[in-house]
PDB file of all heavy atoms in Angstrom:
ATOM      1  N   GLN A 226      18.321  17.422  32.180  1.00 85.00           N
ATOM      2  CA  GLN A 226      17.757  18.553  31.529  1.00 85.00           C
ATOM      3  C   GLN A 226      18.890  19.613  31.356  1.00 85.00           C
ATOM      4  O   GLN A 226      18.826  20.216  30.246  1.00 85.00           O
ATOM      5  CB  GLN A 226      16.648  19.114  32.515  1.00 85.00           C
ATOM      6  CG  GLN A 226      15.404  18.343  32.610  1.00 85.00           C
ATOM      7  CD  GLN A 226      14.517  18.771  33.670  1.00 85.00           C
ATOM      8  OE1 GLN A 226      14.906  19.214  34.727  1.00 85.00           O
ATOM      9  NE2 GLN A 226      13.136  18.658  33.410  1.00 85.00           N
ATOM     10  N   ILE A 227      19.700  19.742  32.222  1.00 90.00           N
ATOM     11  CA  ILE A 227      20.842  20.709  32.030  1.00 90.00           C
ATOM     12  C   ILE A 227      21.733  20.173  30.917  1.00 90.00           C
ATOM     13  O   ILE A 227      22.150  20.950  30.047  1.00 90.00           O
ATOM     14  CB  ILE A 227      21.604  20.935  33.327  1.00 90.00           C
ATOM     15  CG1 ILE A 227      20.785  21.676  34.302  1.00 90.00           C
ATOM     16  CG2 ILE A 227      22.777  21.768  32.977  1.00 90.00           C
ATOM     17  CD1 ILE A 227      21.344  21.821  35.705  1.00 90.00           C
ATOM     18  N   ARG A 228      22.007  18.949  30.829  1.00 93.00           N
ATOM     19  CA  ARG A 228      22.785  18.307  29.751  1.00 93.00           C
ATOM     20  C   ARG A 228      22.148  18.588  28.398  1.00 93.00           C
ATOM     21  O   ARG A 228      22.737  18.705  27.509  1.00 93.00           O
ATOM     22  CB  ARG A 228      23.049  16.876  29.977  1.00 93.00           C
ATOM     23  CG  ARG A 228      24.148  16.570  30.963  1.00 93.00           C
ATOM     24  CD  ARG A 228      24.514  15.138  31.213  1.00 93.00           C
ATOM     25  NE  ARG A 228      24.784  14.452  29.938  1.00 93.00           N
ATOM     26  CZ  ARG A 228      25.981  14.532  29.255  1.00 93.00           C
ATOM     27  NH1 ARG A 228      26.871  15.352  29.747  1.00 93.00           N
ATOM     28  NH2 ARG A 228      26.143  13.895  28.133  1.00 93.00           N
ATOM     29  N   LEU A 229      20.759  18.463  28.400  1.00 89.00           N
ATOM     30  CA  LEU A 229      20.018  18.679  27.227  1.00 89.00           C
ATOM     31  C   LEU A 229      20.257  20.075  26.675  1.00 89.00           C
ATOM     32  O   LEU A 229      20.607  20.355  25.486  1.00 89.00           O
ATOM     33  CB  LEU A 229      18.548  18.553  27.377  1.00 89.00           C
ATOM     34  CG  LEU A 229      17.600  18.958  26.270  1.00 89.00           C
ATOM     35  CD1 LEU A 229      17.686  18.113  25.099  1.00 89.00           C
ATOM     36  CD2 LEU A 229      16.133  19.037  26.810  1.00 89.00           C
ATOM     37  N   ILE A 230      20.097  21.032  27.514  1.00 91.00           N
ATOM     38  CA  ILE A 230      20.410  22.526  27.188  1.00 91.00           C
ATOM     39  C   ILE A 230      21.873  22.626  26.743  1.00 91.00           C
ATOM     40  O   ILE A 230      22.120  23.291  25.769  1.00 91.00           O
ATOM     41  CB  ILE A 230      20.159  23.420  28.413  1.00 91.00           C
ATOM     42  CG1 ILE A 230      18.617  23.302  28.799  1.00 91.00           C
ATOM     43  CG2 ILE A 230      20.514  24.869  28.142  1.00 91.00           C
ATOM     44  CD1 ILE A 230      18.207  23.798  30.097  1.00 91.00           C
ATOM     45  N   ALA A 231      22.814  22.077  27.464  1.00 95.00           N
ATOM     46  CA  ALA A 231      24.280  22.156  27.078  1.00 95.00           C
ATOM     47  C   ALA A 231      24.504  21.666  25.755  1.00 95.00           C
ATOM     48  O   ALA A 231      25.411  22.129  25.034  1.00 95.00           O
ATOM     49  CB  ALA A 231      25.012  21.444  28.127  1.00 95.00           C
ATOM     50  N   SER A 232      23.762  20.708  25.227  1.00 94.00           N
ATOM     51  CA  SER A 232      24.021  20.171  23.924  1.00 94.00           C
ATOM     52  C   SER A 232      23.574  21.189  22.808  1.00 94.00           C
ATOM     53  O   SER A 232      23.963  21.004  21.674  1.00 94.00           O
ATOM     54  CB  SER A 232      23.110  18.802  23.656  1.00 94.00           C
ATOM     55  OG  SER A 232      21.737  19.027  23.646  1.00 94.00           O
ATOM     56  N   TYR A 233      22.792  22.167  23.145  1.00 95.00           N
ATOM     57  CA  TYR A 233      22.292  23.243  22.270  1.00 95.00           C
ATOM     58  C   TYR A 233      23.116  24.428  22.243  1.00 95.00           C
ATOM     59  O   TYR A 233      23.149  25.220  21.215  1.00 95.00           O
ATOM     60  CB  TYR A 233      20.877  23.541  22.495  1.00 95.00           C
ATOM     61  CG  TYR A 233      19.906  22.476  21.930  1.00 95.00           C
ATOM     62  CD1 TYR A 233      19.280  21.603  22.947  1.00 95.00           C
ATOM     63  CD2 TYR A 233      19.467  22.434  20.698  1.00 95.00           C
ATOM     64  CE1 TYR A 233      18.367  20.647  22.519  1.00 95.00           C
ATOM     65  CE2 TYR A 233      18.572  21.527  20.225  1.00 95.00           C
ATOM     66  CZ  TYR A 233      17.992  20.548  21.214  1.00 95.00           C
ATOM     67  OH  TYR A 233      17.071  19.654  20.723  1.00 95.00           O
ATOM     68  N   VAL A 234      23.833  24.768  23.371  1.00 96.00           N
ATOM     69  CA  VAL A 234      24.495  26.034  23.390  1.00 96.00           C
ATOM     70  C   VAL A 234      25.891  26.029  22.743  1.00 96.00           C
ATOM     71  O   VAL A 234      26.560  25.000  22.666  1.00 96.00           O
ATOM     72  CB  VAL A 234      24.731  26.552  24.911  1.00 96.00           C
ATOM     73  CG1 VAL A 234      23.374  26.823  25.511  1.00 96.00           C
ATOM     74  CG2 VAL A 234      25.508  25.581  25.684  1.00 96.00           C
ATOM     75  N   THR A 235      26.338  27.168  22.292  1.00 97.00           N
ATOM     76  CA  THR A 235      27.723  27.309  21.738  1.00 97.00           C
ATOM     77  C   THR A 235      28.432  28.358  22.553  1.00 97.00           C
ATOM     78  O   THR A 235      27.911  29.333  22.949  1.00 97.00           O
ATOM     79  CB  THR A 235      27.709  27.621  20.312  1.00 97.00           C
ATOM     80  OG1 THR A 235      26.876  28.851  20.125  1.00 97.00           O
ATOM     81  CG2 THR A 235      27.052  26.495  19.470  1.00 97.00           C
ATOM     82  N   GLU A 236      29.783  28.103  22.660  1.00 97.00           N
ATOM     83  CA  GLU A 236      30.517  29.187  23.331  1.00 97.00           C
ATOM     84  C   GLU A 236      30.904  30.337  22.532  1.00 97.00           C
ATOM     85  O   GLU A 236      31.210  30.225  21.323  1.00 97.00           O
ATOM     86  CB  GLU A 236      31.988  28.553  23.759  1.00 97.00           C
ATOM     87  CG  GLU A 236      32.682  29.608  24.642  1.00 97.00           C
ATOM     88  CD  GLU A 236      34.120  28.859  25.039  1.00 97.00           C
ATOM     89  OE1 GLU A 236      34.671  28.145  24.370  1.00 97.00           O
ATOM     90  OE2 GLU A 236      34.450  29.301  26.210  1.00 97.00           O
ATOM     91  N   LYS A 237      30.680  31.558  22.998  1.00 98.00           N
ATOM     92  CA  LYS A 237      31.026  32.784  22.294  1.00 98.00           C
ATOM     93  C   LYS A 237      31.915  33.720  23.309  1.00 98.00           C
ATOM     94  O   LYS A 237      31.464  33.847  24.464  1.00 98.00           O
ATOM     95  CB  LYS A 237      29.770  33.538  21.963  1.00 98.00           C
ATOM     96  CG  LYS A 237      28.860  32.843  20.963  1.00 98.00           C
ATOM     97  CD  LYS A 237      29.311  32.864  19.575  1.00 98.00           C
ATOM     98  CE  LYS A 237      28.220  32.224  18.717  1.00 98.00           C
ATOM     99  NZ  LYS A 237      28.653  32.006  17.480  1.00 98.00           N
ATOM    100  N   VAL A 238      33.009  34.110  22.820  1.00 98.00           N
ATOM    101  CA  VAL A 238      33.896  34.914  23.712  1.00 98.00           C
ATOM    102  C   VAL A 238      34.025  36.278  23.027  1.00 98.00           C
ATOM    103  O   VAL A 238      34.154  36.382  21.836  1.00 98.00           O
ATOM    104  CB  VAL A 238      35.283  34.218  23.757  1.00 98.00           C
ATOM    105  CG1 VAL A 238      36.177  35.127  24.682  1.00 98.00           C
ATOM    106  CG2 VAL A 238      35.208  32.851  24.413  1.00 98.00           C
ATOM    107  N   PHE A 239      33.953  37.269  23.831  1.00 98.00           N
ATOM    108  CA  PHE A 239      33.973  38.676  23.394  1.00 98.00           C
ATOM    109  C   PHE A 239      35.097  39.457  24.102  1.00 98.00           C
ATOM    110  O   PHE A 239      35.248  39.431  25.332  1.00 98.00           O
ATOM    111  CB  PHE A 239      32.673  39.434  23.763  1.00 98.00           C
ATOM    112  CG  PHE A 239      31.458  38.772  23.117  1.00 98.00           C
ATOM    113  CD1 PHE A 239      30.609  37.910  23.846  1.00 98.00           C
ATOM    114  CD2 PHE A 239      31.205  38.894  21.751  1.00 98.00           C
ATOM    115  CE1 PHE A 239      29.558  37.312  23.214  1.00 98.00           C
ATOM    116  CE2 PHE A 239      30.196  38.237  21.154  1.00 98.00           C
ATOM    117  CZ  PHE A 239      29.300  37.408  21.829  1.00 98.00           C
ATOM    118  N   GLU A 240      35.972  40.041  23.314  1.00 98.00           N
ATOM    119  CA  GLU A 240      37.023  40.847  23.862  1.00 98.00           C
ATOM    120  C   GLU A 240      36.475  42.199  24.534  1.00 98.00           C
ATOM    121  O   GLU A 240      35.337  42.493  24.267  1.00 98.00           O
ATOM    122  CB  GLU A 240      38.041  41.221  22.816  1.00 98.00           C
ATOM    123  CG  GLU A 240      38.695  40.029  22.111  1.00 98.00           C
ATOM    124  CD  GLU A 240      39.570  39.269  23.124  1.00 98.00           C
ATOM    125  OE1 GLU A 240      40.158  39.855  24.008  1.00 98.00           O
ATOM    126  OE2 GLU A 240      39.579  38.022  23.096  1.00 98.00           O
ATOM    127  N   PRO A 241      37.217  42.836  25.297  1.00 98.00           N
ATOM    128  CA  PRO A 241      36.773  43.964  25.958  1.00 98.00           C
ATOM    129  C   PRO A 241      36.293  45.012  24.948  1.00 98.00           C
ATOM    130  O   PRO A 241      36.760  45.027  23.890  1.00 98.00           O
ATOM    131  CB  PRO A 241      38.031  44.515  26.749  1.00 98.00           C
ATOM    132  CG  PRO A 241      38.877  43.381  26.878  1.00 98.00           C
ATOM    133  CD  PRO A 241      38.648  42.474  25.782  1.00 98.00           C
ATOM    134  N   ASN A 242      35.216  45.725  25.463  1.00 97.00           N
ATOM    135  CA  ASN A 242      34.676  46.882  24.576  1.00 97.00           C
ATOM    136  C   ASN A 242      34.043  46.349  23.267  1.00 97.00           C
ATOM    137  O   ASN A 242      34.020  47.205  22.321  1.00 97.00           O
ATOM    138  CB  ASN A 242      35.711  47.997  24.298  1.00 97.00           C
ATOM    139  CG  ASN A 242      36.275  48.449  25.616  1.00 97.00           C
ATOM    140  OD1 ASN A 242      35.600  48.831  26.613  1.00 97.00           O
ATOM    141  ND2 ASN A 242      37.636  48.503  25.693  1.00 97.00           N
ATOM    142  N   THR A 243      33.501  45.213  23.302  1.00 98.00           N
ATOM    143  CA  THR A 243      32.813  44.660  22.088  1.00 98.00           C
ATOM    144  C   THR A 243      31.294  44.864  22.352  1.00 98.00           C
ATOM    145  O   THR A 243      30.760  44.185  23.257  1.00 98.00           O
ATOM    146  CB  THR A 243      33.201  43.180  21.925  1.00 98.00           C
ATOM    147  OG1 THR A 243      34.583  43.101  21.673  1.00 98.00           O
ATOM    148  CG2 THR A 243      32.486  42.626  20.646  1.00 98.00           C
ATOM    149  N   VAL A 244      30.697  45.528  21.348  1.00 96.00           N
ATOM    150  CA  VAL A 244      29.104  45.538  21.476  1.00 96.00           C
ATOM    151  C   VAL A 244      28.682  44.282  20.737  1.00 96.00           C
ATOM    152  O   VAL A 244      28.930  44.221  19.548  1.00 96.00           O
ATOM    153  CB  VAL A 244      28.655  46.801  20.803  1.00 96.00           C
ATOM    154  CG1 VAL A 244      27.141  46.849  20.724  1.00 96.00           C
ATOM    155  CG2 VAL A 244      29.113  48.047  21.594  1.00 96.00           C
ATOM    156  N   PHE A 245      28.038  43.346  21.396  1.00 95.00           N
ATOM    157  CA  PHE A 245      27.547  42.160  20.729  1.00 95.00           C
ATOM    158  C   PHE A 245      25.997  42.062  20.686  1.00 95.00           C
ATOM    159  O   PHE A 245      25.562  41.103  20.064  1.00 95.00           O
ATOM    160  CB  PHE A 245      28.212  40.976  21.462  1.00 95.00           C
ATOM    161  CG  PHE A 245      27.949  40.681  22.845  1.00 95.00           C
ATOM    162  CD1 PHE A 245      26.890  39.827  23.185  1.00 95.00           C
ATOM    163  CD2 PHE A 245      28.769  41.285  23.844  1.00 95.00           C
ATOM    164  CE1 PHE A 245      26.645  39.659  24.651  1.00 95.00           C
ATOM    165  CE2 PHE A 245      28.474  41.064  25.166  1.00 95.00           C
ATOM    166  CZ  PHE A 245      27.445  40.238  25.491  1.00 95.00           C
ATOM    167  N   ILE A 246      25.361  42.975  21.298  1.00 92.00           N
ATOM    168  CA  ILE A 246      23.959  43.094  21.148  1.00 92.00           C
ATOM    169  C   ILE A 246      23.782  44.538  20.798  1.00 92.00           C
ATOM    170  O   ILE A 246      24.135  45.388  21.550  1.00 92.00           O
ATOM    171  CB  ILE A 246      23.101  42.658  22.373  1.00 92.00           C
ATOM    172  CG1 ILE A 246      23.246  41.093  22.571  1.00 92.00           C
ATOM    173  CG2 ILE A 246      21.656  43.061  22.262  1.00 92.00           C
ATOM    174  CD1 ILE A 246      22.536  40.664  23.856  1.00 92.00           C
ATOM    175  N   GLU A 247      22.973  44.852  19.697  1.00 90.00           N
ATOM    176  CA  GLU A 247      22.810  46.162  19.194  1.00 90.00           C
ATOM    177  C   GLU A 247      21.266  46.477  19.348  1.00 90.00           C
ATOM    178  O   GLU A 247      20.528  45.732  18.838  1.00 90.00           O
ATOM    179  CB  GLU A 247      23.337  46.464  17.862  1.00 90.00           C
ATOM    180  CG  GLU A 247      24.814  46.326  17.817  1.00 90.00           C
ATOM    181  CD  GLU A 247      25.356  46.728  16.480  1.00 90.00           C
ATOM    182  OE1 GLU A 247      24.921  47.711  15.770  1.00 90.00           O
ATOM    183  OE2 GLU A 247      26.243  46.047  16.011  1.00 90.00           O
ATOM    184  N   GLN A 248      20.987  47.621  19.988  1.00 89.00           N
ATOM    185  CA  GLN A 248      19.610  48.117  20.092  1.00 89.00           C
ATOM    186  C   GLN A 248      18.986  48.136  18.783  1.00 89.00           C
ATOM    187  O   GLN A 248      19.615  48.647  17.788  1.00 89.00           O
ATOM    188  CB  GLN A 248      19.704  49.515  20.708  1.00 89.00           C
ATOM    189  CG  GLN A 248      18.303  50.141  20.983  1.00 89.00           C
ATOM    190  CD  GLN A 248      18.685  51.500  21.776  1.00 89.00           C
ATOM    191  OE1 GLN A 248      19.548  51.614  22.462  1.00 89.00           O
ATOM    192  NE2 GLN A 248      17.711  52.335  21.468  1.00 89.00           N
ATOM    193  N   GLU A 249      17.673  47.686  18.741  1.00 86.00           N
ATOM    194  CA  GLU A 249      16.743  47.753  17.467  1.00 86.00           C
ATOM    195  C   GLU A 249      17.148  46.689  16.387  1.00 86.00           C
ATOM    196  O   GLU A 249      16.576  46.696  15.334  1.00 86.00           O
ATOM    197  CB  GLU A 249      16.829  49.160  16.838  1.00 86.00           C
ATOM    198  CG  GLU A 249      16.290  50.153  17.842  1.00 86.00           C
ATOM    199  CD  GLU A 249      14.886  49.946  18.456  1.00 86.00           C
ATOM    200  OE1 GLU A 249      13.957  49.281  17.709  1.00 86.00           O
ATOM    201  OE2 GLU A 249      14.607  50.356  19.571  1.00 86.00           O
ATOM    202  N   THR A 250      18.223  45.833  16.625  1.00 85.00           N
ATOM    203  CA  THR A 250      18.450  44.824  15.638  1.00 85.00           C
ATOM    204  C   THR A 250      17.645  43.561  15.946  1.00 85.00           C
ATOM    205  O   THR A 250      17.046  43.451  16.974  1.00 85.00           O
ATOM    206  CB  THR A 250      19.968  44.485  15.715  1.00 85.00           C
ATOM    207  OG1 THR A 250      20.276  43.966  16.998  1.00 85.00           O
ATOM    208  CG2 THR A 250      20.904  45.654  15.393  1.00 85.00           C
ATOM    209  N   ASP A 251      17.583  42.707  15.033  1.00 81.00           N
ATOM    210  CA  ASP A 251      16.822  41.456  15.159  1.00 81.00           C
ATOM    211  C   ASP A 251      17.346  40.703  16.278  1.00 81.00           C
ATOM    212  O   ASP A 251      18.614  40.592  16.523  1.00 81.00           O
ATOM    213  CB  ASP A 251      16.869  40.629  13.879  1.00 81.00           C
ATOM    214  CG  ASP A 251      16.009  41.107  12.816  1.00 81.00           C
ATOM    215  OD1 ASP A 251      15.131  41.991  13.124  1.00 81.00           O
ATOM    216  OD2 ASP A 251      16.254  40.834  11.635  1.00 81.00           O
ATOM    217  N   ALA A 252      16.449  40.057  17.108  1.00 78.00           N
ATOM    218  CA  ALA A 252      16.868  39.407  18.358  1.00 78.00           C
ATOM    219  C   ALA A 252      16.580  37.858  18.133  1.00 78.00           C
ATOM    220  O   ALA A 252      15.407  37.556  17.756  1.00 78.00           O
ATOM    221  CB  ALA A 252      16.063  39.955  19.548  1.00 78.00           C
ATOM    222  N   HIS A 253      17.537  37.051  18.405  1.00 86.00           N
ATOM    223  CA  HIS A 253      17.211  35.594  18.295  1.00 86.00           C
ATOM    224  C   HIS A 253      18.206  34.806  19.187  1.00 86.00           C
ATOM    225  O   HIS A 253      18.163  33.587  19.122  1.00 86.00           O
ATOM    226  CB  HIS A 253      17.251  35.085  16.856  1.00 86.00           C
ATOM    227  CG  HIS A 253      18.560  35.383  16.158  1.00 86.00           C
ATOM    228  ND1 HIS A 253      18.881  36.561  15.617  1.00 86.00           N
ATOM    229  CD2 HIS A 253      19.548  34.481  15.907  1.00 86.00           C
ATOM    230  CE1 HIS A 253      20.029  36.536  15.062  1.00 86.00           C
ATOM    231  NE2 HIS A 253      20.461  35.240  15.229  1.00 86.00           N
ATOM    232  N   ILE A 254      19.140  35.449  19.859  1.00 91.00           N
ATOM    233  CA  ILE A 254      20.011  34.744  20.727  1.00 91.00           C
ATOM    234  C   ILE A 254      20.176  35.327  22.128  1.00 91.00           C
ATOM    235  O   ILE A 254      20.148  36.570  22.216  1.00 91.00           O
ATOM    236  CB  ILE A 254      21.469  34.771  20.056  1.00 91.00           C
ATOM    237  CG1 ILE A 254      21.441  34.086  18.675  1.00 91.00           C
ATOM    238  CG2 ILE A 254      22.511  34.131  21.009  1.00 91.00           C
ATOM    239  CD1 ILE A 254      22.772  34.159  17.956  1.00 91.00           C
ATOM    240  N   ALA A 255      20.289  34.484  23.102  1.00 91.00           N
ATOM    241  CA  ALA A 255      20.506  34.836  24.463  1.00 91.00           C
ATOM    242  C   ALA A 255      21.882  34.399  24.760  1.00 91.00           C
ATOM    243  O   ALA A 255      22.484  33.328  24.334  1.00 91.00           O
ATOM    244  CB  ALA A 255      19.467  34.234  25.437  1.00 91.00           C
ATOM    245  N   TYR A 256      22.545  35.037  25.650  1.00 95.00           N
ATOM    246  CA  TYR A 256      23.883  34.732  26.108  1.00 95.00           C
ATOM    247  C   TYR A 256      23.983  34.631  27.596  1.00 95.00           C
ATOM    248  O   TYR A 256      23.713  35.489  28.433  1.00 95.00           O
ATOM    249  CB  TYR A 256      24.834  36.003  25.724  1.00 95.00           C
ATOM    250  CG  TYR A 256      24.981  36.215  24.291  1.00 95.00           C
ATOM    251  CD1 TYR A 256      24.029  37.151  23.627  1.00 95.00           C
ATOM    252  CD2 TYR A 256      25.869  35.605  23.430  1.00 95.00           C
ATOM    253  CE1 TYR A 256      24.034  37.371  22.289  1.00 95.00           C
ATOM    254  CE2 TYR A 256      25.847  35.876  22.124  1.00 95.00           C
ATOM    255  CZ  TYR A 256      24.983  36.676  21.499  1.00 95.00           C
ATOM    256  OH  TYR A 256      24.971  36.910  20.112  1.00 95.00           O
ATOM    257  N   PHE A 257      24.508  33.411  28.000  1.00 96.00           N
ATOM    258  CA  PHE A 257      24.618  33.065  29.362  1.00 96.00           C
ATOM    259  C   PHE A 257      26.155  33.401  29.715  1.00 96.00           C
ATOM    260  O   PHE A 257      27.149  32.685  29.298  1.00 96.00           O
ATOM    261  CB  PHE A 257      24.352  31.562  29.721  1.00 96.00           C
ATOM    262  CG  PHE A 257      22.981  31.225  29.338  1.00 96.00           C
ATOM    263  CD1 PHE A 257      22.550  30.864  28.084  1.00 96.00           C
ATOM    264  CD2 PHE A 257      21.940  31.495  30.332  1.00 96.00           C
ATOM    265  CE1 PHE A 257      21.309  30.686  27.716  1.00 96.00           C
ATOM    266  CE2 PHE A 257      20.594  31.142  30.017  1.00 96.00           C
ATOM    267  CZ  PHE A 257      20.242  30.790  28.723  1.00 96.00           C
ATOM    268  N   ILE A 258      26.385  34.431  30.584  1.00 98.00           N
ATOM    269  CA  ILE A 258      27.739  34.873  30.835  1.00 98.00           C
ATOM    270  C   ILE A 258      28.294  33.971  32.051  1.00 98.00           C
ATOM    271  O   ILE A 258      27.700  33.903  33.047  1.00 98.00           O
ATOM    272  CB  ILE A 258      27.720  36.420  31.389  1.00 98.00           C
ATOM    273  CG1 ILE A 258      27.141  37.267  30.307  1.00 98.00           C
ATOM    274  CG2 ILE A 258      29.138  36.821  31.769  1.00 98.00           C
ATOM    275  CD1 ILE A 258      26.814  38.659  30.691  1.00 98.00           C
ATOM    276  N   TYR A 259      29.380  33.432  31.723  1.00 97.00           N
ATOM    277  CA  TYR A 259      29.988  32.559  32.842  1.00 97.00           C
ATOM    278  C   TYR A 259      31.343  33.175  33.179  1.00 97.00           C
ATOM    279  O   TYR A 259      31.909  32.696  34.270  1.00 97.00           O
ATOM    280  CB  TYR A 259      30.140  31.051  32.466  1.00 97.00           C
ATOM    281  CG  TYR A 259      31.068  30.673  31.292  1.00 97.00           C
ATOM    282  CD1 TYR A 259      32.345  30.410  31.557  1.00 97.00           C
ATOM    283  CD2 TYR A 259      30.625  30.685  30.025  1.00 97.00           C
ATOM    284  CE1 TYR A 259      33.237  30.032  30.578  1.00 97.00           C
ATOM    285  CE2 TYR A 259      31.426  30.271  28.892  1.00 97.00           C
ATOM    286  CZ  TYR A 259      32.843  29.989  29.296  1.00 97.00           C
ATOM    287  OH  TYR A 259      33.719  29.661  28.261  1.00 97.00           O
ATOM    288  N   GLU A 260      31.918  34.120  32.523  1.00 98.00           N
ATOM    289  CA  GLU A 260      33.100  34.850  33.010  1.00 98.00           C
ATOM    290  C   GLU A 260      33.065  36.225  32.335  1.00 98.00           C
ATOM    291  O   GLU A 260      32.779  36.315  31.154  1.00 98.00           O
ATOM    292  CB  GLU A 260      34.289  34.075  32.499  1.00 98.00           C
ATOM    293  CG  GLU A 260      35.640  34.545  32.932  1.00 98.00           C
ATOM    294  CD  GLU A 260      36.827  33.627  32.493  1.00 98.00           C
ATOM    295  OE1 GLU A 260      36.792  32.409  32.844  1.00 98.00           O
ATOM    296  OE2 GLU A 260      37.648  34.092  31.892  1.00 98.00           O
ATOM    297  N   GLY A 261      33.471  37.195  33.192  1.00 98.00           N
ATOM    298  CA  GLY A 261      33.442  38.484  32.708  1.00 98.00           C
ATOM    299  C   GLY A 261      32.234  39.358  33.137  1.00 98.00           C
ATOM    300  O   GLY A 261      31.423  38.887  33.922  1.00 98.00           O
ATOM    301  N   SER A 262      32.088  40.481  32.444  1.00 97.00           N
ATOM    302  CA  SER A 262      30.977  41.384  32.729  1.00 97.00           C
ATOM    303  C   SER A 262      30.569  42.323  31.528  1.00 97.00           C
ATOM    304  O   SER A 262      31.523  42.449  30.681  1.00 97.00           O
ATOM    305  CB  SER A 262      31.153  42.299  33.990  1.00 97.00           C
ATOM    306  OG  SER A 262      32.235  43.064  33.841  1.00 97.00           O
TER     307      SER A 262
END
Side-chain angles (χ1 to χ4, degrees):
Q226 290 169 323
I227 294 172
R228 282 183 53 76
L229 169 70
I230 298 163
S232 70
Y233 284 99
V234 297
T235 57
E236 184 180 35
K237 301 281 185 189
V238 178
F239 302 100
E240 294 301 320
N242 306 310
T243 302
V244 176
F245 61 95
I246 292 178
E247 294 184 42
Q248 183 177 327
E249 302 302 328
T250 61
D251 288 341
H253 61 279
I254 297 176
Y256 299 90
F257 298 89
I258 301 167
Y259 68 91
E260 189 176 301
S262 59

